[in-house]
Amino acid sequence: YMYDRDRLSPMDENTPVRPTTRKGEVRARIADMLMDSVQKGQIDGLIARCADFYGPGRQKNSVVAQTVFERLASGKSAQWLLSLDHVHSFTYTPDASLATVMLGNASDAYGDVWHLPTTTQPPTGREWIEMVAAELDVRPRTQVASNLMLSFVGTFAPTLREVKEMAYQYDRDYDFRSDKFKHRFDFNQTPYEQGIKTVVEEDYR
Protein backbone atom coordinates (compact mmCIF):
# COMPACT_ATOMS: atom_id res chain seq x y z
CA TYR A 1 0.00 0.00 0.00
CA MET A 2 2.89 2.38 0.65
CA TYR A 3 4.68 1.91 -2.66
CA ASP A 4 4.61 4.43 -5.48
CA ARG A 5 1.37 3.63 -7.31
CA ASP A 6 3.07 4.23 -10.65
CA ARG A 7 5.81 1.68 -9.92
CA LEU A 8 3.81 -1.48 -9.24
CA SER A 9 5.12 -3.49 -12.18
CA PRO A 10 7.46 -4.78 -11.13
CA MET A 11 7.74 -3.84 -7.47
CA ASP A 12 10.47 -5.07 -5.16
CA GLU A 13 12.12 -3.97 -1.91
CA ASN A 14 13.68 -1.00 -3.71
CA THR A 15 10.41 0.38 -5.06
CA PRO A 16 10.04 3.99 -3.82
CA VAL A 17 7.84 4.47 -0.77
CA ARG A 18 5.38 7.15 -1.86
CA PRO A 19 1.93 6.48 -0.38
CA THR A 20 -1.14 8.23 -1.77
CA THR A 21 -3.77 6.67 0.49
CA ARG A 22 -4.52 6.69 4.21
CA LYS A 23 -3.67 3.01 4.51
CA GLY A 24 -0.37 3.54 2.76
CA GLU A 25 0.54 6.54 4.90
CA VAL A 26 -0.12 4.61 8.12
CA ARG A 27 1.94 1.65 6.97
CA ALA A 28 4.81 3.88 5.89
CA ARG A 29 4.89 5.56 9.32
CA ILE A 30 4.86 2.21 11.11
CA ALA A 31 7.67 0.89 8.90
CA ASP A 32 9.74 4.00 9.57
CA MET A 33 9.22 3.67 13.33
CA LEU A 34 10.20 0.01 13.28
CA MET A 35 13.33 0.40 11.18
CA ASP A 36 14.41 3.47 13.17
CA SER A 37 14.28 1.38 16.35
CA VAL A 38 16.22 -1.41 14.63
CA GLN A 39 18.92 0.98 13.44
CA LYS A 40 19.25 2.46 16.93
CA GLY A 41 19.77 -1.02 18.35
CA GLN A 42 16.63 -0.84 20.47
CA ILE A 43 15.14 -3.99 18.97
CA ASP A 44 16.00 -6.79 16.56
CA GLY A 45 13.55 -6.84 13.70
CA LEU A 46 12.83 -7.09 10.00
CA ILE A 47 9.94 -6.33 7.69
CA ALA A 48 8.34 -9.13 5.67
CA ARG A 49 5.80 -8.06 3.06
CA CYS A 50 3.55 -10.04 0.77
CA ALA A 51 1.23 -9.19 -2.08
CA ASP A 52 -2.51 -9.65 -1.81
CA PHE A 53 -2.90 -13.22 -0.65
CA TYR A 54 -4.84 -16.45 -1.12
CA GLY A 55 -4.67 -19.94 0.31
CA PRO A 56 -6.64 -22.78 1.92
CA GLY A 57 -8.68 -22.29 5.06
CA ARG A 58 -11.60 -20.12 3.85
CA GLN A 59 -9.59 -16.95 4.38
CA LYS A 60 -12.12 -14.20 5.02
CA ASN A 61 -9.61 -11.38 4.61
CA SER A 62 -8.47 -12.53 1.18
CA VAL A 63 -9.96 -10.40 -1.58
CA VAL A 64 -9.71 -13.12 -4.22
CA ALA A 65 -11.26 -15.66 -1.85
CA GLN A 66 -14.32 -13.50 -1.31
CA THR A 67 -14.76 -12.20 -4.84
CA VAL A 68 -13.74 -15.22 -6.91
CA PHE A 69 -13.51 -18.55 -5.04
CA GLU A 70 -16.55 -18.07 -2.77
CA ARG A 71 -18.79 -16.57 -5.42
CA LEU A 72 -18.02 -19.08 -8.16
CA ALA A 73 -18.38 -21.97 -5.70
CA SER A 74 -21.82 -20.72 -4.69
CA GLY A 75 -23.04 -20.40 -8.28
CA LYS A 76 -22.60 -16.63 -8.55
CA SER A 77 -20.52 -14.52 -10.92
CA ALA A 78 -16.97 -13.75 -9.86
CA GLN A 79 -16.31 -10.08 -9.14
CA TRP A 80 -13.23 -8.09 -10.15
CA LEU A 81 -12.27 -4.44 -9.90
CA LEU A 82 -11.91 -2.08 -12.86
CA SER A 83 -10.16 -4.28 -15.44
CA LEU A 84 -9.76 -7.98 -16.20
CA ASP A 85 -6.76 -7.38 -18.44
CA HIS A 86 -4.03 -6.45 -15.95
CA VAL A 87 -1.86 -9.03 -14.17
CA HIS A 88 -2.22 -9.28 -10.40
CA SER A 89 0.12 -11.12 -8.04
CA PHE A 90 -1.20 -13.04 -5.06
CA THR A 91 1.02 -14.60 -2.39
CA TYR A 92 0.14 -18.17 -1.38
CA THR A 93 -0.28 -18.16 2.42
CA PRO A 94 1.42 -21.52 3.16
CA ASP A 95 4.48 -20.22 1.26
CA ALA A 96 4.37 -16.95 3.17
CA SER A 97 4.10 -18.73 6.52
CA LEU A 98 7.09 -20.96 5.90
CA ALA A 99 9.14 -18.09 4.50
CA THR A 100 8.43 -15.94 7.56
CA VAL A 101 9.76 -18.72 9.80
CA MET A 102 12.87 -18.98 7.63
CA LEU A 103 13.49 -15.23 7.90
CA GLY A 104 13.00 -15.30 11.65
CA ASN A 105 15.65 -17.98 11.99
CA ALA A 106 18.23 -16.26 9.76
CA SER A 107 20.27 -13.75 11.74
CA ASP A 108 21.55 -12.03 8.60
CA ALA A 109 17.97 -11.27 7.51
CA TYR A 110 17.36 -8.87 10.39
CA GLY A 111 17.45 -5.13 9.88
CA ASP A 112 16.14 -5.38 6.34
CA VAL A 113 12.96 -5.45 4.23
CA TRP A 114 11.97 -8.70 2.51
CA HIS A 115 9.29 -9.62 0.02
CA LEU A 116 7.89 -13.04 0.84
CA PRO A 117 8.10 -15.58 -2.00
CA THR A 118 5.42 -14.94 -4.60
CA THR A 119 5.13 -16.83 -7.86
CA THR A 120 6.29 -14.92 -10.92
CA GLN A 121 4.30 -14.33 -14.13
CA PRO A 122 1.03 -13.52 -12.36
CA PRO A 123 -2.26 -14.14 -14.18
CA THR A 124 -4.58 -11.39 -15.34
CA GLY A 125 -7.90 -10.98 -13.60
CA ARG A 126 -9.57 -12.87 -16.42
CA GLU A 127 -7.06 -15.72 -16.12
CA TRP A 128 -7.53 -15.92 -12.35
CA ILE A 129 -11.27 -16.31 -12.77
CA GLU A 130 -10.88 -18.85 -15.59
CA MET A 131 -8.43 -20.99 -13.58
CA VAL A 132 -10.61 -21.02 -10.47
CA ALA A 133 -13.75 -21.76 -12.51
CA ALA A 134 -12.03 -24.62 -14.31
CA GLU A 135 -10.95 -26.19 -11.03
CA LEU A 136 -14.46 -25.81 -9.62
CA ASP A 137 -15.92 -27.10 -12.92
CA VAL A 138 -18.22 -24.10 -13.33
CA ARG A 139 -18.63 -21.39 -15.97
CA PRO A 140 -16.27 -18.39 -15.52
CA ARG A 141 -19.03 -15.82 -15.18
CA THR A 142 -17.75 -12.37 -14.27
CA GLN A 143 -18.88 -8.96 -13.03
CA VAL A 144 -16.48 -6.01 -13.26
CA ALA A 145 -16.95 -3.10 -10.85
CA SER A 146 -16.20 0.33 -12.30
CA ASN A 147 -14.94 3.36 -10.40
CA LEU A 148 -18.38 4.92 -10.77
CA MET A 149 -20.02 1.86 -9.25
CA LEU A 150 -17.55 1.81 -6.33
CA SER A 151 -18.21 5.49 -5.67
CA PHE A 152 -21.97 4.98 -5.69
CA VAL A 153 -22.04 1.87 -3.50
CA GLY A 154 -19.39 3.33 -1.20
CA THR A 155 -21.84 6.06 -0.28
CA PHE A 156 -23.83 3.45 1.64
CA ALA A 157 -21.11 0.95 2.58
CA PRO A 158 -18.02 2.28 4.42
CA THR A 159 -16.12 -0.94 3.68
CA LEU A 160 -16.45 -0.34 -0.05
CA ARG A 161 -15.15 3.19 0.37
CA GLU A 162 -11.97 1.56 1.66
CA VAL A 163 -11.92 -0.71 -1.39
CA LYS A 164 -12.19 2.28 -3.72
CA GLU A 165 -9.17 3.90 -2.06
CA MET A 166 -7.03 0.93 -3.09
CA ALA A 167 -8.73 0.25 -6.44
CA TYR A 168 -5.79 1.73 -8.37
CA GLN A 169 -4.05 -1.61 -7.80
CA TYR A 170 -6.44 -3.09 -10.36
CA ASP A 171 -6.31 -0.50 -13.14
CA ARG A 172 -2.65 -1.32 -13.87
CA ASP A 173 -0.34 -4.33 -13.65
CA TYR A 174 0.42 -5.37 -10.06
CA ASP A 175 3.57 -7.50 -10.29
CA PHE A 176 5.08 -8.31 -6.88
CA ARG A 177 8.66 -9.64 -7.05
CA SER A 178 10.55 -11.65 -4.42
CA ASP A 179 13.87 -12.29 -6.17
CA LYS A 180 15.85 -11.17 -3.11
CA PHE A 181 14.31 -13.92 -0.99
CA LYS A 182 14.85 -16.55 -3.68
CA HIS A 183 18.51 -15.61 -4.02
CA ARG A 184 19.06 -15.93 -0.25
CA PHE A 185 17.01 -19.04 0.51
CA ASP A 186 16.42 -22.40 -1.14
CA PHE A 187 12.66 -22.22 -1.65
CA ASN A 188 10.25 -23.73 -4.16
CA GLN A 189 7.25 -21.47 -4.65
CA THR A 190 3.85 -22.99 -5.22
CA PRO A 191 2.66 -22.45 -8.82
CA TYR A 192 -0.63 -20.61 -9.11
CA GLU A 193 -2.34 -23.62 -10.69
CA GLN A 194 -1.30 -25.87 -7.79
CA GLY A 195 -2.31 -23.30 -5.18
CA ILE A 196 -5.75 -22.91 -6.74
CA LYS A 197 -6.16 -26.69 -6.92
CA THR A 198 -5.29 -27.05 -3.22
CA VAL A 199 -7.70 -24.29 -2.17
CA VAL A 200 -10.55 -25.86 -4.13
CA GLU A 201 -9.82 -29.39 -2.86
CA GLU A 202 -9.54 -28.36 0.79
CA ASP A 203 -12.28 -25.74 0.97
CA TYR A 204 -14.88 -26.50 -1.66
CA ARG A 205 -15.03 -30.28 -2.03
Side-chain angles (χ1 to χ4, degrees):
Y1 293 170
M2 68 188 69
Y3 287 145
D4 185 338
R5 65 193 296 164
D6 295 321
R7 300 280 294 277
L8 300 184
S9 182
M11 58 179 140
D12 60 20
E13 295 87 348
N14 296 314
T15 297
V17 173
R18 196 170 294 134
T20 57
T21 64
R22 289 176 299 164
K23 291 178 186 294
E25 290 169 357
V26 169
R27 292 195 180 195
R29 288 200 299 270
I30 292 171
D32 286 344
M33 291 169 59
L34 173 63
M35 297 311 289
D36 183 59
S37 295
V38 169
Q39 290 166 8
K40 290 178 178 177
Q42 297 171 338
I43 61 171
D44 291 327
L46 60 84
I47 293 177
R49 295 181 181 140
C50 70
D52 290 337
F53 60 89
Y54 78 109
R58 296 276 182 156
Q59 297 174 9
K60 294 183 179 180
N61 291 327
S62 167
V63 173
V64 74
Q66 294 180 50
T67 62
V68 179
F69 285 92
E70 293 284 348
R71 290 186 63 84
L72 288 175
S74 61
K76 301 175 182 177
S77 296
Q79 295 175 329
W80 202 262
L81 295 177
L82 304 187
S83 173
L84 292 168
D85 298 321
H86 294 289
V87 301
H88 198 98
S89 297
F90 285 88
T91 303
Y92 187 57
T93 50
D95 287 354
S97 300
L98 177 57
T100 302
V101 172
M102 294 169 72
L103 286 169
N105 284 285
S107 59
D108 63 315
Y110 282 72
D112 211 347
V113 176
W114 297 85
H115 279 190
L116 296 172
T118 300
T119 305
T120 56
Q121 298 180 320
T124 64
R126 180 176 286 101
E127 289 168 339
W128 266 105
I129 292 167
E130 289 174 348
M131 287 193 295
V132 174
E135 197 61 46
L136 287 166
D137 195 24
V138 298
R139 289 177 52 210
R141 295 188 299 161
T142 309
Q143 295 175 343
V144 179
S146 66
N147 262 318
L148 181 62
M149 183 184 300
L150 288 175
S151 297
F152 176 73
V153 178
T155 303
F156 310 99
T159 301
L160 288 179
R161 284 201 295 271
E162 299 293 323
V163 171
K164 186 177 188 305
E165 182 184 63
M166 307 311 302
Y168 69 86
Q169 295 179 338
Y170 290 84
D171 68 6
R172 65 203 70 197
D173 287 343
Y174 174 99
D175 187 0
F176 187 89
R177 300 290 180 87
S178 51
D179 295 346
K180 177 179 172 181
F181 186 94
K182 289 180 284 186
H183 291 154
R184 169 59 181 82
F185 298 95
D186 181 18
F187 193 94
N188 293 320
Q189 297 168 140
T190 303
Y192 287 114
E193 294 84 356
Q194 181 58 51
I196 289 169
K197 181 179 178 65
T198 299
V199 171
V200 170
E201 288 181 345
E202 294 192 14
D203 294 346
Y204 300 101
R205 287 185 180 150

